[in-house]
Amino acid sequence: MKSGVKKRLHIKVYGIVQGVGFRPFVSRIAMRCGIYGSVCNKGSYVEIFAQAPERGLDAFLDALENEAPPRSVILKIKKAELGTVEETECGDGTDANNGRFNIIESSKEDGPVFVSPDIATCPDCERELFDPQNRRYLHPFINCTACGPRLTILDSMPYDRERTSMGEFPMCPECEYEYTHASTRRYHAQPVCCNDCGPELYIIGREERGNEALIYTRKIIREGGIAAVKGIGGFHLCCDARNEDAVKRLRELKHRPVKPFAVMMKDMDTVRRECITEEGQDRILTGPQKPIILLQKKDAGTLVCGGAAPGNPRLGVMLPYAPVQMLLFGYPDGKTISDCFVMTSGNPSGAPICMDDEEAEHYLSPMCDAILSNPRKIRIRADDSVMSYYRGLPYMIRRSRGYAPLPQIMPEGSGRSVLGIGGELKNTFCYARDDMYYPSPYIGDMTDLRSMHALEAAEVRLGRLLEIEPEMIACDMHPGYNTTAEARKLASERNIPCIEVQHHHAHIVSCMAENGFVSDVIGVSFDGTGYGTDGTIWGGEFMKADLKSFERLGSIEPFTHAGGDLASKEGWRIAVSLLLDAYEDRDEALSVIGRLGLARGNDIKAQLFMLGNGVNTTESTSAGRLFDAVSAVLGVRLSSSFEGEASMALEFAAESFGGSVPRCGLKMFAKDHADGLFRLNTTGLTRYIAEARLGGMSTEEAAALFHAELAAMITAGCDKCAEKTGLKTIALSGGVFQNVLLLKFCDEGLEQKGYKVLKHSLIPPNDGGLSLGQAAAAMASCQ
C-alpha cells in the first residue's frame, strides 16, 4: 500500500460486549493506534468502522482481541474491507478524516443478543469506596465500566442508561463529565452515579436514610439482630455468623432447622482462617462473579458458629460483591462488627427471592428486625450462584448471579427458536435461537404459586431482552407438573407446538450441550424423581441417547415407593420396602428392620399395609431414594427436613472414612427382567449394607463401601451398554451426581476402562440444568 494511503475496515464483534465497558475500550485503543471512525452498539453485536494505515489497523485488531475488558467475552469477530480513503467514505456516514473516533448513538439490528450478567464490584471501585479523598467515598452504589449491575437493571437492549433502572436518576455534572470523557474510568458506564445523584439507602418504616440507614443496620447485626438487605438481584437475610443465638433465631424464623446457610466473609484472610481453599478457588472467590463456593471447614481456629452449617464439613462461602455489603463490614462508624455474616436468600421456604419493598415487607418483616432497601428497581431476580469444585474446576450447583444469562453455544444451529420451561424443582428456563442457548437465573421450586408468578414474569422479560419469540416450547413429560401446565398454556396462547421431553433424557442432553457433543452417548442419569415413559418413577437410568431421542437400556433395581410425597422425605420408608424385597423370609426382613430401628408400632404397620395392599404405591427406580434408604439403614438420617439432606449426610459420612474401602464381592446385576432391561443389584447392595452395620462395621466405612460399590455397578452397567451399542462416550448427569465422591469413583472407574466421560461444570447436573436439555432436545427434533 502506498505511503499515506489509509485502509478502511468494517468490524463486527459478537459476544458479551455490552455493559462491560467495551465501547469505551474500543475508543481508547483506537485513539492510541491512530484510528479514525466510530463504534456503536447494535443490540446483537458491536459495530466498528476503522480507518488508518495498515500498521495502525493491525495494532488495533491485535489490541481488540488481546486487551479486551476482563468482564467481556468475545465469541467471534467479523471483518470486511471497505477500500481505501481515496475510494470511499466511512460506512457510518461520518468523515473519518476529521481526526476523531466517536462513540455514536446505539441502534438495533436483528441477530443473537448477548446480555452481560451482573458484575461484582471491581478492586478499583472498592479502593475508591473507602478513600476519604474520593468523591464517591462510602457511596453504596459505586460502579464503573468494569463492574456493577447489568442484567438485573436492564429493561431492553441495546444497553444504554435510558433503558436501565438508572434512567430514573439523572447524572450530576461531575458524573456526566466522566460518562462523556474517554480519559475516565466511567466513560459510558451506564449505571454511573455518586452521592449527589444516585439512589439513597433507607430503612423501610423508619426515618433513617443514607449513611444513617447503614449505621442503623450495622447496629442491628452487631447486637445480634437480623436485617434484610437489598442487594443486586434481591434481598438477603443477614445476621452475625459468629453469634450462635442470632443464627438459631434466624433458623427458627425461616423454618430452616439444619439446611446450611451461606456465609459472606469480609476478605480472603477471613476465608483462610475459616476454610481450606484449593488452587483456583481464590481466583473465583475474588473474581467478577463472586459465587458461593462450598469450602472445606478447618478443624481449629475458626470463629463461625456451628449453627451456620450443622453437621456439615463444608461451608458455603462468598465475598462481598456489592458496595452496600462492603460497607456493612467496613463502614467507619467507630464500632467493631463481625467479619462473617450469614447471608441467605431473603424468601420464605419454597418461594423466590424477594426483589422489591412490597415483597420484602410482606414476607421478610416477620423474619427480621430491619429492612435496608433502596429505590433502584430490580428488573429480574438473580439469586447467588453456588458451586462445588471437582478436579480443579467449578462444579455448578445453582447457576444464577454472575453467570446467567451467558449463552451456551452449540456446534450446530437449526435457525429455529425455542423456550425450554425447565423442571419443577430448582427451576430455570432457557431461551434458544439457532446455536445460542441462554439459561435464565435461578427461579426456585414451582410447587409454590409465587415461584410460578416469578417464572412467568422473568420469562417475558428475558425473552424481550434477548429478542426471542419462540417457535415452540419444551417441557417435562410429567402430567402433574405446574411447569408442564404453564408450557401447554403458553403454547396454546401463542399457537405454537409444545414438545414434551423425558426428564432423564433432558439431563443427558444438558450434559451433551455443555460439552458441545452432538454424537450418540451412553447416558447415566441418576436423580430423585422423573416421570418415565411407562408411567412409573424413574431415577437411576442408563440409556443410549442423542440430542433428539433415547433408548432406555437399564436401571437400578425397581422397588415399591409407598407413602407418596412423605416417602420422598422419610428414607426409612424406602429402606423398609427395599429390605422386604431383599429377603425371601418376611420374618427375617422384619427382624432386620427392627434391629436397625427403622420403624416401630403404627409406623411399620401402616407401611406394611400400603406395601401389602398396593395403597399409595408406585414402582420406582429413583437413585435419590436409594441414597435416602441407605442413609436410614446406617442410622445417618431416618428422614430429611430439606431436599437431599439424608443423601448429603451419607456422602459426608463416606468422605470421613480414612481407610481403604473394601469390596463386598456382590454380583453387579440382579436377575434379568421380562422388559429386556438390565438392572443393577442395588437391592442386594442395600441388604449387604444393613448386615454390615448389624455386624459391627462402622457407619463411615459402610457409607464409603456403598459409594464405591454403587460406582462399580454403574461402571459395569456402562460396560453392558457399550457391548450393546458399541459406544465409548459416557455422559453423567442428574442431581445424584452433585455427590462429588460418587462422581469421582465413577469417573475414575470409567476412565480406567478407556471411556470418554462427559461431565458438567458450569451447568448444574441437577434440575437447574433441565431447561437447557429440553431446549436442545426440542431444537434437535426439528432437524
Side-chain angles (χ1 to χ4, degrees):
M1 186 177 288
K2 290 191 237 176
S3 175
V5 173
K6 295 176 181 177
K7 187 177 176 182
R8 290 218 174 103
L9 290 181
H10 181 204
I11 304 166
K12 295 180 179 180
V13 185
Y14 296 84
I16 305 299
V17 289
Q18 300 193 48
V20 291
F22 201 84
R23 286 180 297 169
F25 154 72
V26 171
S27 177
R28 282 192 289 270
I29 63 169
M31 288 186 281
R32 186 182 80 198
C33 298
I35 305 293
Y36 301 154
S38 64
V39 60
C40 174
N41 270 345
K42 288 292 189 177
S44 62
Y45 60 93
V46 163
E47 180 179 61
I48 303 166
F49 288 95
Q51 175 183 300
E54 190 166 10
R55 186 169 61 181
L57 285 173
D58 289 343
F60 174 74
L61 290 171
D62 181 73
L64 189 66
E65 292 195 52
N66 298 309
E67 300 177 25
R71 274 65 171 169
S72 66
V73 180
I74 296 176
L75 298 175
K76 60 182 176 181
I77 297 175
K78 290 184 177 180
K79 301 184 289 286
E81 291 192 19
L82 298 179
T84 64
V85 70
E86 290 85 4
E87 296 168 342
T88 186
E89 289 187 347
C90 277
D92 62 356
T94 62
D95 181 5
N97 290 310
N98 62 11
R100 296 179 58 192
F101 191 92
N102 302 313
I103 295 179
I104 63 176
E105 185 176 350
S106 299
S107 61
K108 292 173 66 175
E109 287 189 8
D110 291 337
V113 176
F114 304 93
V115 179
S116 170
D118 303 299
I119 305 170
T121 302
C122 69
D124 288 336
C125 282
E126 185 174 4
R127 279 191 292 272
E128 291 179 355
L129 181 65
F130 292 105
D131 178 4
Q133 305 306 312
N134 192 279
R135 73 184 197 87
R136 289 187 177 82
Y137 178 52
L138 306 181
H139 179 46
F141 302 93
I142 191 170
N143 66 85
C144 68
T145 56
C147 70
R150 298 294 190 267
L151 171 66
T152 54
I153 64 169
L154 188 56
D155 274 325
S156 62
M157 296 293 277
Y159 175 68
D160 284 310
R161 188 183 184 91
E162 64 268 21
R163 287 180 281 271
T164 74
S165 298
M166 289 304 295
E168 300 176 14
F169 301 92
M171 288 181 280
C172 67
E174 290 86 352
C175 284
E176 189 166 14
Y177 177 87
E178 292 176 283
Y179 182 84
T180 55
H181 284 72
S183 59
T184 77
R185 288 201 313 110
R186 294 180 174 87
Y187 184 40
H188 276 257
Q190 308 306 334
V192 65
C193 59
C194 68
N195 288 306
D196 295 328
C197 64
E200 185 180 38
L201 298 175
Y202 54 82
I203 303 290
I204 294 179
R206 292 182 60 91
E207 295 182 355
E208 289 87 353
R209 301 187 70 85
N211 292 342
E212 293 303 314
L214 195 65
I215 291 169
Y216 181 77
T217 305
R218 279 170 51 88
K219 179 176 182 291
I220 292 287
I221 298 168
R222 190 169 56 248
E223 294 178 354
I226 300 166
V229 180
K230 186 177 181 181
I232 298 294
F235 283 83
H236 288 99
L237 288 168
C238 174
C239 72
D240 182 356
R242 294 165 54 169
N243 185 327
E244 192 75 65
D245 290 338
V247 174
K248 180 182 178 183
R249 178 171 170 248
L250 179 56
R251 287 200 174 280
E252 291 169 351
L253 292 170
K254 207 165 189 277
H255 305 293
R256 186 169 170 163
V258 294
K259 188 177 181 180
F261 282 139
V263 177
M264 181 174 281
M265 299 186 180
K266 182 180 181 181
D267 51 33
M268 281 304 302
D269 287 341
T270 309
V271 174
R272 294 186 186 103
R273 182 192 71 208
E274 299 290 328
C275 300
I276 299 166
T277 59
E278 298 177 18
E279 185 178 352
Q281 290 178 336
D282 291 22
R283 176 178 52 81
I284 292 180
L285 281 168
T286 59
Q289 294 89 12
K290 288 193 176 176
I292 297 168
I293 301 184
L294 303 184
L295 300 178
Q296 193 75 20
K297 293 177 182 175
K298 283 190 172 178
D299 295 329
T302 60
L303 298 176
V304 171
C305 69
N312 195 319
R314 292 189 270 277
L315 196 61
V317 173
M318 61 178 160
L319 292 180
Y321 56 82
V324 67
Q325 297 160 352
M326 296 172 176
L327 291 169
L328 285 174
F329 282 111
Y331 190 86
D333 58 3
K335 308 288 186 179
T336 58
I337 198 167
S338 175
D339 55 5
C340 298
F341 296 155
V342 165
M343 199 68 82
T344 189
S345 302
N347 61 307
S349 179
I353 189 170
C354 293
M355 65 183 279
D356 58 36
D357 287 4
E358 182 180 0
E359 291 179 350
E361 282 192 273
H362 184 73
Y363 295 117
L364 303 184
S365 289
M367 304 184 203
C368 65
D369 304 300
I371 302 176
L372 179 66
S373 190
N374 67 76
R376 185 176 70 195
K377 292 184 176 66
I378 296 172
R379 301 299 188 187
I380 190 168
R381 302 168 211 264
D383 216 328
D384 296 314
S385 293
V386 183
M387 64 175 61
S388 184
Y389 240 65
Y390 178 68
R391 288 190 172 182
L393 294 172
Y395 194 63
M396 194 69 76
I397 295 170
R398 184 170 74 197
R399 183 184 188 270
S400 197
R401 176 190 54 77
Y403 293 90
L406 289 174
Q408 186 70 42
I409 305 175
M410 291 289 284
E412 303 168 356
S414 70
R416 305 291 295 276
S417 60
V418 65
L419 168 62
I421 205 73
E424 200 76 349
L425 301 178
K426 299 178 176 64
N427 178 269
T428 66
F429 58 91
C430 179
Y431 273 104
R433 179 165 57 192
D434 197 29
D435 59 348
M436 298 284 178
Y437 293 74
Y438 304 86
S440 76
Y442 174 83
I443 305 295
D445 293 347
M446 295 298 109
T447 52
D448 191 295
L449 189 59
R450 293 164 294 190
S451 296
M452 284 303 303
H453 292 326
L455 169 62
E456 291 165 3
E459 176 262 315
V460 170
R461 180 168 292 277
L462 194 57
R464 187 171 70 238
L465 288 178
L466 297 172
E467 300 172 0
I468 295 176
E469 283 288 341
E471 301 168 62
M472 55 194 143
I473 296 178
C475 67
D476 198 274
M477 289 178 58
H478 199 300
Y481 277 4
N482 287 330
T483 47
T484 302
E486 175 70 9
R488 289 170 177 168
K489 183 191 81 170
L490 290 174
S492 176
E493 290 172 351
R494 302 176 189 186
N495 195 28
I496 57 177
C498 182
I499 298 172
E500 295 182 353
V501 181
Q502 199 280 326
H503 188 93
H504 300 96
H505 181 223
H507 272 309
I508 297 305
V509 174
S510 75
C511 185
M512 295 171 67
E514 179 173 10
N515 287 275
F517 197 86
V518 297
S519 301
D520 291 1
V521 300
I522 295 167
V524 183
S525 184
F526 273 39
D527 67 355
T529 299
Y531 190 76
T533 55
D534 58 1
T536 66
I537 297 173
W538 292 3
E541 309 306 312
F542 295 81
M543 62 181 69
K544 175 187 177 184
D546 57 24
L547 293 176
K548 67 172 72 173
S549 63
F550 75 97
E551 177 190 357
R552 191 186 191 201
L553 301 177
S555 73
I556 69 171
E557 191 168 13
F559 56 87
T560 303
H561 181 113
D565 289 342
L566 200 58
S568 298
K569 299 176 182 177
E570 298 182 349
W572 68 265
R573 296 179 184 272
I574 305 299
V576 167
S577 178
L578 283 165
L579 290 172
L580 285 170
D581 287 345
Y583 290 88
E584 293 182 6
D585 187 324
R586 176 184 170 89
D587 290 338
E588 186 180 3
L590 290 175
S591 172
V592 170
I593 289 167
R595 289 164 65 198
L596 290 170
L598 290 174
R600 290 186 175 86
N602 290 334
D603 283 340
I604 188 65
K605 288 179 182 178
Q607 199 67 13
L608 292 175
F609 175 81
M610 286 188 286
L611 289 167
N613 294 279
V615 175
N616 199 16
T617 62
T618 186
E619 184 179 280
S620 174
T621 56
S622 167
R625 300 296 77 79
L626 172 67
F627 271 79
D628 292 348
V630 173
S631 187
V633 164
L634 291 178
V636 178
R637 291 286 190 282
L638 291 176
S639 61
S640 298
S641 63
F642 64 92
E643 188 200 6
E645 178 185 351
S647 300
M648 283 171 51
L650 183 66
E651 177 188 1
F652 299 153
E655 288 176 338
S656 68
F657 179 65
S660 176
V661 181
R663 291 296 304 275
C664 61
L666 276 177
K667 60 181 182 179
M668 296 287 101
F669 300 98
K671 292 179 181 178
D672 290 341
H673 280 238
D675 57 13
L677 306 179
F678 70 79
R679 311 289 190 173
L680 302 187
N681 185 25
T682 43
T683 304
L685 177 58
T686 305
R687 172 176 173 168
Y688 186 93
I689 295 296
E691 292 175 351
R693 183 192 175 197
L694 294 175
M697 183 180 287
S698 73
T699 297
E700 294 75 18
E701 183 175 359
L705 185 152
F706 169 74
H707 280 77
E709 203 65 25
L710 181 60
M713 288 183 178
I714 290 171
T715 302
C718 290
D719 286 340
K720 264 194 182 294
C721 294
E723 289 169 11
K724 182 173 182 177
T725 65
L727 299 172
K728 296 291 286 184
T729 300
I730 315 293
L732 304 178
S733 191
V736 166
F737 283 110
Q738 282 182 199
N739 182 323
V740 176
L741 181 63
L742 180 69
L743 176 68
K744 174 177 177 289
F745 285 163
C746 290
D747 203 7
E748 291 175 350
L750 291 166
E751 286 181 342
Q752 286 172 7
K753 292 203 164 192
Y755 292 106
K756 177 180 180 178
V757 184
L758 306 181
K759 302 174 288 290
H760 289 280
S761 179
L762 293 179
I763 298 296
N766 60 43
D767 284 6
L770 278 177
S771 61
L772 171 61
Q774 290 171 352
M779 195 79 85
S781 70
C782 300
Q783 295 176 341

